[in-house]
Amino acid sequence: MVRWRSGTVLAVRRSWRGAVELDVETEGGPLRALAYPGLVGSPEPGDRVLLNVGALVMGLGTGGYALVVAIPDRLPPDPPADGSTRDGGHLVKARYTPLQPILLGVDEEASPHRAVMAAATSIDGMPVVTADLHSALPAILAGVHADRPDARVAYLMTDGGALPAWFSRTLDGLRDHLAGTVTTGQAFGGDLEASTVHTGLLAARHVLGADVTVVAQGPGNLGTGTTWGFSGVALGEAINAIGVLGGRPVGSLRISGGDGRERHRGVSHHSLTAYGRIALVRTDLPVPDGLDPALAAAVDAALAPLSARHRLIRVPSDGLDQALRASPVPLSTMGRRLDQDHGYFLSAAAAGRHAAALLA
């Protein structure tokens, strides 16, 4: 449950789109905190803030901040739209939580995109890359742009991890390299808001004009170490949605030679479960050349059972390392950088390269 603290803002540290990092003094000492101005207003030094410190106390990696719940003595003004009508949108996300935002959905009546979305029934064969972790996004993008620098790439953020897109510094750093972000389900804060993966895919294609879309959760993968207990199971359902809408699914494999957990070495059980047991639509699964021989052998053995259900695609890796090293944002997964888990990022880039090849 929630662990509450009250504190005073000592300093405003760095900020990025939609988020502000703070130093806050509490009775138990100073804490690093994060505020979303779109939800609670903009904290200033001297403000009293109410905090949720549960993730910080537990030492969770991605979520390891105290989160500002309110600035009780200086509430932000009401939004400019009349809150008694649906003219400004009525899509509620993070529903029935104390900080639920009310947003304009891309396909609802008040949206300027309503007519386009109401008429859309297909994504017209658009390649869609699905990935288990948010950290794959910049690597996939690097793979697409290595061969097709002109390709418009959209990001569809699902709600398996962080709900506010604002939490992601990676996403902030990729703003000038993406056609836009669509937040779906309970996730919010993208350039467009959608209620489902289906409407999100249609919006990426017909509103953002994407040539390729990447589907992945926000930062903060949830997993229990059991076969079905991880948020990435949603990848299989995303594959099914892509197929229903006439897209071309490309599965980015979670490959690792650096993860200390056996269930994630070689091909992660997350990929094997999502693609091998949940996805019902035949999917392209790109496998990069150039993996360490031992890792390559483990990957081939793990993927062999999937070959009857999906297409295993060998992708040349020439030039991908250079593309990864030129990423506009740092590459990191579970605290490991590019050279500490090269196979992970190479696999994601290979998926991007294959998606770009489907545009030819």
Side-chain angles (χ1 to χ4, degrees):
M1 301 301 289
V2 175
R3 293 180 181 271
W4 289 90
R5 298 291 186 274
S6 178
T8 301
V9 176
L10 296 176
V12 176
R13 298 174 60 88
R14 58 184 171 175
S15 63
W16 56 94
R17 186 186 186 190
V20 180
E21 192 179 69
L22 310 166
D23 286 333
V24 177
E25 183 66 42
T26 69
E27 287 186 359
L31 297 178
R32 186 69 51 84
L34 194 71
Y36 300 119
L39 296 181
V40 301
S42 298
E44 297 176 359
D47 280 337
R48 184 169 68 96
V49 290
L50 302 181
L51 304 171
N52 178 339
V53 301
L56 182 64
V57 169
M58 193 171 289
L60 299 180
T62 304
Y65 280 105
L67 295 173
V68 175
V69 181
I71 308 172
D73 303 323
R74 194 169 57 82
L75 297 178
D78 286 346
D82 179 1
S84 65
T85 73
R86 296 187 176 194
D87 292 345
H90 76 290
L91 200 65
V92 182
K93 296 201 174 185
R95 287 188 283 276
Y96 304 106
T97 65
L99 293 178
Q100 60 180 17
I102 300 177
L103 306 158
L104 179 63
V106 66
D107 58 341
E108 65 175 302
E109 292 86 345
S111 170
H113 310 297
R114 167 72 171 193
V116 170
M117 291 296 295
T121 58
S122 170
I123 57 175
D124 308 324
M126 177 177 65
V128 181
V129 184
T130 60
D132 182 30
L133 300 179
H134 186 71
S135 57
L137 172 62
I140 294 168
L141 187 64
V144 174
H145 284 161
D147 297 339
R148 291 292 300 268
D150 59 332
R152 290 179 59 81
V153 181
Y155 171 47
L156 192 157
M157 180 175 144
T158 61
D159 56 12
L163 296 187
W166 309 318
F167 185 80
S168 174
R169 293 193 297 275
T170 292
L171 193 53
D172 179 63
L174 292 176
R175 264 190 300 165
D176 294 338
H177 304 270
L178 290 168
T181 296
V182 187
T183 35
T184 68
Q186 298 293 317
F188 59 91
D191 300 293
L192 299 172
E193 302 289 351
S195 54
T196 68
V197 170
H198 298 76
T199 54
L201 288 168
L202 291 167
R205 180 63 170 176
H206 297 288
V207 177
L208 295 179
D211 301 308
V212 176
T213 294
V214 180
V215 177
Q217 62 189 338
N221 176 63
L222 173 64
T224 64
T226 62
T227 300
W228 300 102
F230 64 98
S231 50
V233 296
L235 283 189
E237 301 296 354
I239 292 288
N240 298 337
I242 296 161
V244 165
L245 293 174
R248 184 73 181 268
V250 177
S252 177
L253 293 165
R254 183 175 171 181
I255 289 173
S256 177
D259 200 308
R261 297 163 295 179
E262 186 62 31
R263 65 185 183 274
H264 293 307
R265 294 182 67 83
V267 181
S268 168
H269 81 99
H270 286 194
S271 289
L272 297 177
T273 300
Y275 298 132
R277 303 182 68 177
I278 300 172
L280 303 177
V281 175
R282 193 164 175 81
T283 300
D284 291 354
L285 300 178
V287 182
D289 291 336
L291 293 174
D292 174 83
L295 178 58
V299 168
D300 288 345
L303 293 178
L306 274 64
S307 61
R309 190 173 203 171
H310 301 300
R311 288 178 288 268
L312 303 182
I313 310 291
R314 291 288 173 181
V315 176
S317 58
D318 55 293
L320 290 183
D321 180 73
Q322 294 93 316
L324 289 167
R325 295 186 188 280
S327 170
V329 298
L331 300 177
S332 179
T333 184
M334 303 292 178
R336 299 185 299 276
R337 300 291 187 176
L338 175 59
D339 290 326
Q340 295 171 308
D341 207 349
H342 196 268
Y344 170 82
F345 297 104
L346 190 65
S347 178
R353 166 167 277 176
H354 179 64
L358 297 177
L359 298 176

